[in-house]
Amino acid sequence: TGVQTCALPISVMMSSTKSMTGHLLGAAGAIECIVTAKTIEEGYIHRTRGLHESEEELDLDYCKEPYEQEVD
C-alpha cells in the first residue's frame, strides 16, 4: 500500500489556536503558519485554552499547559 509505520512510540503534542482566536475564516492558514514557525523557532507550545479534560477514547497528547523544549 506504500504506507510506512514506525515501530517506535511517538508522541506528538496537540494544541489549538482556535481556542484563543476563534473563527478566522480566510486568515486561519496565515495565522497557523505564523504560530507553527514561532513554535519551532522558540521551542514553545501554547496550551489549548479552556481544555480541562479530554475524551478518554481519544489517545492524544493534548497540551493543557504551556510547554517548552529546545528544538534541534
Side-chain angles (χ1 to χ4, degrees):
T1 61
V3 176
Q4 296 182 2
T5 59
C6 181
L8 300 174
I10 297 175
S11 177
V12 176
M13 295 193 91
M14 307 288 285
S15 64
S16 172
T17 56
K18 187 176 174 186
S19 65
M20 293 180 275
T21 61
H23 292 282
L24 296 174
L25 301 175
I31 296 297
E32 290 294 333
C33 182
I34 292 167
V35 169
T36 301
K38 294 300 283 181
T39 296
I40 293 168
E41 179 182 73
E42 297 181 7
Y44 177 84
I45 301 173
H46 63 85
R47 71 183 180 100
T48 299
R49 185 175 167 190
L51 177 65
H52 304 290
E53 294 182 24
S54 56
E55 298 290 327
E56 290 182 26
E57 303 87 41
L58 300 176
D59 186 24
L60 299 172
D61 190 6
Y62 294 103
C63 191
K64 296 178 185 175
E65 298 297 327
Y67 181 80
E68 290 188 52
Q69 180 176 345
E70 189 172 319
V71 178
D72 295 332

